[in-house]
Amino acid sequence: MELHELTIHELHDRLKKREVSSVEATQACLDRIAATDEKVNAYITVTGDEALAAAAAADSRIAAGDMDLLTGIPLALKDIFLTKGTRTTCASNILANFIPPYDATAWLKLKERGAVLLGKLNQDEFAMGSSCEGSAFGPTRNPWDLERIPGGSSGGSAACIAARQATATLGTDTGGSIRQPASHCGCVGLKPTYGRVSRYGVIAYASSLDQVGPITRDVTDAAIMLGAVAGHDPLDSTSVDLPVPDYAKSLVLEVKGLKIGLPKEYFIAGLDPEVKSALEMAMETYRGMGAEFIDISLPHTDYAVATYYLIATAEASSNLARYDSVRFGHRTAEPGSLIDTYSRSRDEGFGHEVKRRIMIGTYALSSGYYDAYYLKAQKVRTLIMQDFLRAFDQVDIILTPVAPTPAFRIGEKTSDPLQMYLSDIFTIPVNMAGTCGISVPAGISQAGLPIGLQLIGKPFGEETILRAAYAFEQATTWHKRKANL
């Protein structure tokens, strides 16, 4: 197997035995990026020279016996993470030339362990999208079919893994933005419980929903990455001060007696037959391993999308007010009065979807409408959260689809925002509840497109969903399939 195709744990074993160097592994990934990214467009910025220098430092560290699981491992980050001295754009013209003065906590933790940064990955602008078509730097394409979307908003993070351009990546998930692209690209994508991973240094979209998580080739790598970035951070007021388990130790094949909930609201008429078939096959796999299925109800599911698009847009309206062209970011070449300069700069800097969401959110927060929209949405969010907590009184985890269909064609839904928003109908409730979820490869459609399976856990129940995901992965071969790129 070529170096750019190895998982974290496979490459770590080779580095530890001195069979290969970090410089060689990093160069292999850079060569792969050079060979494939013109087609895929997963990267906004490639940091080749810096990566090779970091890899050389990692090799020296390994030679001195100072080695961690992530030392010398070449990784890439969604371009929403601040990286000191390296351009961070959030896929927006308004930040096209922004160089951050400090690192996001999640990246700092990886860097301190000796990880190597290959570059920054494409996404929907400000993480607002479900297809990775909304980037100021052009759409990312799905390596399984270049005419199809990779999912969003962390589309570059998932496409990068599917194209074998990095060993692992980090993305963010506000309404499904890790799990949905992982499903569409045949990867493993983990959205941790809100507060499990620091958001400090992550450019904010919707602060009460955003969460950092890994996209990897297999479940073992997801556990390794989560263990590396999880933990309390005093710089993030929403970070929870709980011990971080050794997630890798939860990866056992035993799921006998595990109670898995099947919510009737997720198995709907609009579900693609091939997605439904993949889920039914997955259920048989679990039954064969001794898991028990229980029918459950999450009665407020129907309100999740509408609730999300009020809360998320309201928070986006507030968060994006800071991009005023005065302190940093794009400024129009033809400034006039202060208000005119604001208006022109924001009009030129923000894309259509970002403008749409800012306007929706500003309206929802405006005088006379706040109680009717934003406040009501927060009350419904509480009901959705209570649905999950009641369900977890009966079951250990919940099994659902990730997306209603396999990846759709580029341009298919751009003219119909509502259809685009419904792409996240099965992932949004997890963010509303603040709990954890994972997408695992579970099938391939007749058109040769990956289909994912979603496992939802209790708050801070990452160990249980990782165990269930690992058992399924080891009982099947879907995670070993790869894009023919």
Side-chain angles (χ1 to χ4, degrees):
M1 187 180 290
E2 295 189 59
L3 293 180
H4 64 266
E5 296 188 355
L6 297 176
T7 62
I8 292 174
H9 53 97
E10 289 168 343
L11 180 54
H12 169 76
D13 288 344
R14 294 202 186 185
L15 289 168
K16 191 174 182 180
K17 293 173 184 174
R18 311 289 173 85
E19 294 175 356
V20 67
S21 69
S22 176
V23 168
E24 289 171 325
T26 300
Q27 188 61 61
C29 288
L30 291 170
D31 291 344
R32 180 66 177 171
I33 294 165
T36 59
D37 206 49
E38 191 173 336
K39 299 175 187 174
V40 178
N41 196 32
Y43 281 82
I44 290 176
T45 302
V46 178
T47 53
D49 292 342
E50 296 91 336
L52 290 170
D59 284 331
S60 298
R61 192 166 163 175
I62 293 167
D66 177 18
M67 189 177 189
D68 182 87
L69 265 173
L70 288 162
T71 306
I73 304 294
L75 309 175
L77 303 174
K78 185 177 182 177
D79 205 18
I80 201 169
F81 292 90
L82 299 189
T83 43
K84 185 178 180 179
T86 298
R87 183 174 71 144
T88 301
T89 70
C90 219
S92 178
N93 280 324
I94 211 154
L95 289 174
N97 298 303
F98 176 58
I99 309 293
Y102 63 94
D103 286 315
T105 296
W107 163 236
L108 190 60
K109 286 187 172 188
L110 295 170
K111 185 162 72 169
E112 286 173 346
R113 295 178 74 160
V116 174
L117 179 63
L118 295 165
K120 308 295 288 296
L121 298 164
N122 207 359
Q123 58 173 83
D124 285 293
E125 183 182 5
F126 282 96
M128 298 181 193
S130 305
S131 65
C132 214
E133 294 171 279
S135 168
F137 299 89
T140 296
R141 296 176 179 272
N142 192 322
W144 292 78
D145 181 345
L146 296 172
E147 297 304 311
R148 295 182 186 264
I149 58 103
S153 63
S154 307
S157 300
C160 170
I161 295 302
R164 303 305 199 250
Q165 296 175 339
T167 309
T169 64
L170 277 187
T172 60
D173 193 311
T174 306
S177 290
I178 286 172
R179 291 158 290 150
Q180 186 247 33
S183 174
H184 286 330
C185 290
C187 313
V188 174
L190 174 61
K191 182 253 176 223
T193 307
Y194 185 80
R196 179 81 276 189
V197 182
S198 173
R199 295 182 298 108
Y200 181 74
V202 178
I203 296 172
Y205 162 23
S207 302
S208 75
L209 298 163
D210 299 341
Q211 188 55 202
V212 172
I215 297 180
T216 59
R217 298 215 217 297
D218 65 13
V219 176
T220 302
D221 279 6
I224 292 169
M225 287 288 283
L226 179 60
V229 298
H232 180 245
D233 179 12
L235 297 172
D236 176 3
S237 62
T238 62
S239 172
V240 177
D241 192 2
L242 285 175
V244 178
D246 184 346
Y247 292 111
K249 286 185 178 176
S250 66
L251 305 182
V252 295
L253 298 176
E254 184 58 58
V255 293
K256 189 173 182 180
L258 189 74
K259 294 180 179 177
I260 303 177
L262 296 176
K264 64 180 182 182
E265 293 82 4
Y266 283 62
F267 295 87
I268 53 176
L271 189 61
D272 184 279
E274 291 186 299
V275 173
K276 185 179 179 184
S277 175
L279 290 177
E280 288 170 348
M281 288 172 61
M283 289 177 213
E284 287 306 308
T285 300
Y286 275 117
R287 284 192 183 98
M289 292 189 286
E292 177 186 347
F293 283 91
I294 298 171
D295 290 328
I296 60 169
S297 177
L298 298 169
H300 294 94
T301 297
D302 287 350
Y303 305 105
V305 173
T307 302
Y308 172 85
Y309 279 101
L310 282 168
I311 293 173
T313 57
E315 293 181 8
S317 168
S318 176
N319 279 325
L320 271 62
R322 71 192 66 173
Y323 302 103
D324 56 11
S325 79
V326 174
R327 289 160 289 187
F328 58 89
H330 170 76
R331 179 180 290 198
T332 182
E334 300 177 15
S337 66
L338 183 62
I339 298 300
D340 187 54
T341 301
Y342 283 170
S343 299
R344 283 175 181 267
S345 300
R346 289 166 68 85
D347 182 48
E348 294 166 11
F350 289 135
H352 294 303
E353 185 59 33
V354 173
K355 291 174 187 173
R356 179 185 289 121
R357 296 196 193 193
I358 289 173
M359 287 191 286
I360 292 170
T362 304
Y363 182 83
L365 290 174
S366 60
S367 177
Y369 294 101
Y370 179 93
D371 288 355
Y373 292 110
Y374 184 71
L375 187 62
K376 179 66 69 70
Q378 291 288 16
K379 290 177 179 177
V380 176
R381 179 182 189 170
T382 301
L383 296 175
I384 292 169
M385 192 181 303
Q386 289 171 348
D387 284 350
F388 278 96
L389 294 177
R390 273 193 290 270
F392 286 126
D393 286 338
Q394 306 173 59
V395 299
D396 300 308
I397 62 172
I398 296 169
L399 184 152
T400 76
V402 180
T405 67
F408 49 87
R409 294 189 181 279
I410 290 174
E412 189 176 317
K413 298 186 179 182
T414 47
S415 62
D416 189 344
L418 182 57
Q419 283 302 309
M420 187 74 81
Y421 295 168
L422 290 172
S423 300
D424 298 328
I425 192 168
F426 300 132
T427 53
I428 279 173
V430 178
N431 298 80
M432 302 303 291
T435 194
C436 57
I438 190 169
S439 173
V440 189
I444 302 286
S445 74
Q446 287 187 340
L449 300 168
I451 296 169
L453 161 74
Q454 179 172 224
L455 300 172
I456 303 167
K458 300 174 183 179
F460 302 99
E462 285 84 0
E463 288 173 288
T464 306
I465 59 171
L466 281 165
R467 173 165 62 99
Y470 180 75
F472 176 77
E473 177 187 81
Q474 296 303 304
T476 60
T477 59
W478 300 118
H479 67 291
K480 293 182 180 178
R481 307 286 185 96
K482 59 184 183 179
N484 184 23
L485 183 68

